Amino acid sequence: MSNIEQTLSIIKPDAVERNLIEDIKKIFTENNLSIKESKKIHISKDEAADFYKVHQSKPFYNDLCLYLSSGPIVVMILEGKNAIKENRKLMGATDPKDAENNTIRKLYGISIDKNSVHGSDSLENAKKEIEFFFKS
Ligand code: CDP
Ligand code: MG
């Protein structure tokens, strides 16, 4: 059974700043995730707060919103078989020091907050997050 999904990926400011956009995109495309849409944007802190509102009760919420709005990011729609799970696998664990070898966060992440990429974690959130950046 084919299970073609779309998911939202973000290349975060730390990775954009280090010119890692093409290296990260290549990891997606070489692993059967095609990039359907891609744009480089710089969001405000309020937009970041809206995007990350599921985390509003967490102690790291304010820093996370400041961080995501601190510089340009690249937002992408990735498409492929089991795209949500496959993207999470390619990203690796939230904290780069726990991430498996050859995952994006192991290769490029600096710390738990500067971990280079975001990826939707469920079908429901993928739909919401794609809508947030591409259908408004
Ligand atoms: O990004 P992921 O889905 O792996 O992790 P999350 O638990 O949904 O957290 C969202 C983001 O918050 C992470 O990617 C980290 O950048 C940040 N975070 C943090 O700064 N400190 C933590 N203790 C946990 C998460
Ligand atoms: Mg998450």
PDB file of all heavy atoms in Angstrom, residues 55 88 118-119 121, ligand 2:
ATOM      1  N   HIS A  55       4.071  24.264  22.590  1.00  0.00           N
ATOM      2  CA  HIS A  55       5.098  24.230  23.633  1.00  0.00           C
ATOM      3  C   HIS A  55       4.981  25.386  24.623  1.00  0.00           C
ATOM      4  O   HIS A  55       5.900  25.633  25.398  1.00  0.00           O
ATOM      5  CB  HIS A  55       6.492  24.274  23.002  1.00  0.00           C
ATOM      6  CG  HIS A  55       6.838  23.043  22.226  1.00  0.00           C
ATOM      7  ND1 HIS A  55       6.816  21.785  22.772  1.00  0.00           N
ATOM      8  CD2 HIS A  55       7.205  22.874  20.922  1.00  0.00           C
ATOM      9  CE1 HIS A  55       7.163  20.891  21.851  1.00  0.00           C
ATOM     10  NE2 HIS A  55       7.391  21.529  20.717  1.00  0.00           N
ATOM     11  N   ARG A  88      11.578  12.381  10.313  1.00  0.00           N
ATOM     12  CA  ARG A  88      12.003  12.347  11.719  1.00  0.00           C
ATOM     13  C   ARG A  88      13.233  11.438  11.881  1.00  0.00           C
ATOM     14  O   ARG A  88      14.138  11.727  12.669  1.00  0.00           O
ATOM     15  CB  ARG A  88      10.858  11.851  12.621  1.00  0.00           C
ATOM     16  CG  ARG A  88       9.636  12.731  12.673  1.00  0.00           C
ATOM     17  CD  ARG A  88       9.787  14.010  13.452  1.00  0.00           C
ATOM     18  NE  ARG A  88      10.337  13.852  14.772  1.00  0.00           N
ATOM     19  CZ  ARG A  88      10.389  14.821  15.686  1.00  0.00           C
ATOM     20  NH1 ARG A  88       9.908  16.045  15.412  1.00  0.00           N
ATOM     21  NH2 ARG A  88      10.923  14.629  16.853  1.00  0.00           N
ATOM     22  N   HIS A 118      13.655  21.368  12.029  1.00  0.00           N
ATOM     23  CA  HIS A 118      12.354  21.010  12.619  1.00  0.00           C
ATOM     24  C   HIS A 118      11.662  20.055  11.659  1.00  0.00           C
ATOM     25  O   HIS A 118      11.809  20.180  10.445  1.00  0.00           O
ATOM     26  CB  HIS A 118      11.473  22.265  12.785  1.00  0.00           C
ATOM     27  CG  HIS A 118      10.028  21.929  13.058  1.00  0.00           C
ATOM     28  ND1 HIS A 118       9.559  21.684  14.324  1.00  0.00           N
ATOM     29  CD2 HIS A 118       8.974  21.744  12.216  1.00  0.00           C
ATOM     30  CE1 HIS A 118       8.269  21.367  14.255  1.00  0.00           C
ATOM     31  NE2 HIS A 118       7.888  21.401  12.987  1.00  0.00           N
ATOM     32  N   GLY A 119      10.866  19.135  12.188  1.00  0.00           N
ATOM     33  CA  GLY A 119      10.027  18.282  11.348  1.00  0.00           C
ATOM     34  C   GLY A 119       8.731  17.967  12.052  1.00  0.00           C
ATOM     35  O   GLY A 119       8.728  17.704  13.261  1.00  0.00           O
ATOM     36  N   ASP A 121       5.587  16.077  13.600  1.00  0.00           N
ATOM     37  CA  ASP A 121       5.637  14.798  14.322  1.00  0.00           C
ATOM     38  C   ASP A 121       4.410  13.911  14.134  1.00  0.00           C
ATOM     39  O   ASP A 121       4.361  12.810  14.680  1.00  0.00           O
ATOM     40  CB  ASP A 121       5.895  15.044  15.815  1.00  0.00           C
ATOM     41  CG  ASP A 121       4.786  15.844  16.481  1.00  0.00           C
ATOM     42  OD1 ASP A 121       3.764  16.143  15.818  1.00  0.00           O
ATOM     43  OD2 ASP A 121       4.945  16.179  17.668  1.00  0.00           O
TER      44      ASP A 121
HETATM   45 MG    MG B   2       8.381  18.621  17.892  1.00  0.00          MG
END
